[in-house]
Amino acid sequence: MASEVATPPWMPSEQLALQQGLSRVRLIDALVGGKDHYGVDREIARAVCEALPDGADAAKRLFVEDRLFQVRVCEMLLRRTQVRKFVVCGADQWAVDGDPLHERIQRVNSDAVVIYVETEPVIFSHALGVYDTAINSGNSVVRVVEADFYDPDFLRRLYAETHLSFYRSEPLALLHCATLPFVPHGTGRTAQDITAGLIDTLPDGSFLALTHLCAPEDPDDAEAALRAGNQLEARGLGTRPFLPQKDIEALFGDLPLVVPHALTDNRVPVPCPEWYPPGPFRQRVATDRFNLAGVAHKGRPWPLA
């Protein structure tokens, strides 16, 4: 049966996709119901959905809520801190709401600078042509850089790029969201290796926001996470895609976490919808516990943490 999903203009052919290898961005696009992916991505997405409780709806919600968490973090930092530079791992291609993250950021503060870092060449080329204000004239500053955000030293390499006007002394917000579960096979790195190197590089006053797929403590949920993770690992999309909560907490090293919402004093990662929700808590969904989020601060204690 012919696919009902349109092939996007920046992805020439299914055969090319197989040559390039599987893609984190295309997989997430398939999970959230987008159009910028191939049949091979839908096949993996179906396998993941079948492993998780509540199937496709649950998998879509995990990544939609991940995106909404990123938006809330950026808006909060712009309103409550001096941070005006955002380094975003992943070039924001998801078909979640059709509203690029840099536009959400710059509607709050037009002087904010957004630097997208992308590892996948095809995604980088597309984002460069659409988002980068060095190529597309615009009043706000958005840059797109091709770099390996799974390299613990990638921030140091960004500092060496003089065209970015990116300085070691300036605090920034680093967003590593919906990325760390997909550390490629063969790198020899773990998610904790990556964040440890980045934390060392962050200037004082900076914030680290990250999410990671979680294997909950409940035995049935842990088994579901194992099945979904095995589907991803078998295709080279991640090493330990689902981590226990204690291992996700360890990704922040010794950095103090920002309290996740007004109803708790516990500084721990929480399901994405529970990190400072825009209004009263909505009905909790069981599968929310499969993706945890947190924000940490480096340097002097943050008075609003």
Side-chain angles (χ1 to χ4, degrees):
M1 184 174 67
S3 170
E4 297 178 356
V5 179
T7 300
W10 49 273
M11 294 166 54
S13 69
E14 186 102 14
Q15 289 73 23
L16 181 60
L18 294 173
Q19 293 170 15
Q20 292 170 340
L22 299 174
S23 162
R24 169 191 63 88
V25 176
R26 297 196 323 258
L27 170 62
I28 295 174
D29 185 84
L31 287 168
V32 301
K35 296 182 179 179
D36 295 342
H37 59 268
Y38 293 118
V40 63
D41 308 304
R42 294 193 294 280
E43 177 188 344
I44 302 170
R46 278 195 295 270
V48 171
C49 291
E50 289 171 0
L52 291 175
D54 300 324
D57 289 341
K60 177 177 180 178
R61 178 179 170 87
L62 288 180
F63 290 102
V64 169
E65 293 293 345
D66 193 300
R67 153 70 178 207
L68 297 176
F69 161 75
Q70 296 177 51
V71 172
R72 293 197 303 277
V73 168
C74 295
E75 292 176 344
M76 182 277 285
L77 293 177
L78 285 168
R79 292 182 172 120
R80 303 176 71 183
T81 77
Q82 298 302 309
V83 167
R84 295 296 178 266
K85 288 198 173 180
F86 295 81
V87 177
V88 181
C89 297
D92 196 16
Q93 297 292 318
W94 307 349
V96 173
D97 57 14
D99 199 2
L101 185 59
H102 63 272
E103 293 186 4
R104 298 291 293 263
I105 290 171
Q106 291 172 342
R107 282 203 292 271
V108 177
N109 189 321
S110 61
D111 293 329
V113 174
V114 180
I115 301 172
Y116 288 113
V117 183
E118 182 52 64
T119 63
E120 299 182 23
V122 172
I123 307 302
F124 162 73
S125 298
H126 175 73
L128 183 69
V130 175
Y131 295 158
D132 196 301
T133 52
I135 295 175
N136 300 284
S137 59
N139 296 325
S140 301
V141 177
V142 180
R143 304 309 307 272
V144 182
V145 179
E146 186 174 18
D148 180 8
F149 52 63
Y150 296 120
D151 181 348
D153 289 325
F154 91 82
L155 272 180
R156 291 187 177 92
R157 293 186 171 85
L158 289 191
Y159 287 127
E161 300 285 344
T162 56
H163 68 287
L164 294 178
S165 300
F166 188 55
Y167 307 109
R168 291 178 183 268
S169 59
E170 293 180 326
L172 59 90
L174 173 63
L175 280 71
H176 225 314
C177 300
T179 47
L180 291 169
F182 304 100
V183 178
H185 283 283
T187 64
R189 303 171 187 142
T190 66
Q192 191 167 357
D193 295 332
I194 295 165
T195 59
L198 297 175
I199 288 169
D200 286 344
T201 316
L202 283 174
D204 281 356
S206 295
F207 290 81
L208 171 64
L210 64 81
T211 63
H212 203 292
L213 297 175
C214 180
E217 292 183 0
D218 176 83
D220 291 339
D221 287 345
E223 178 61 29
L226 177 64
R227 291 196 304 270
N230 286 343
Q231 293 293 337
L232 295 173
E233 288 191 75
R235 294 163 170 85
L237 280 168
T239 54
R240 295 188 72 203
F242 289 77
L243 294 177
Q245 178 164 338
K246 64 180 179 61
D247 290 353
I248 297 174
E249 293 175 13
L251 298 179
F252 293 95
D254 295 329
L255 298 185
L257 271 73
V258 175
V259 173
H261 54 79
L263 301 180
T264 184
D265 293 326
N266 293 329
R267 298 173 184 270
V268 295
V270 296
C272 291
E274 295 183 20
W275 197 92
Y276 275 96
F281 276 136
R282 294 169 294 174
Q283 181 180 6
R284 287 180 171 86
V285 176
T287 47
D288 287 344
R289 71 188 72 171
F290 285 87
N291 193 22
L292 300 187
V295 179
H297 177 247
K298 182 176 180 179
R300 296 177 305 173
W302 186 46
L304 299 176

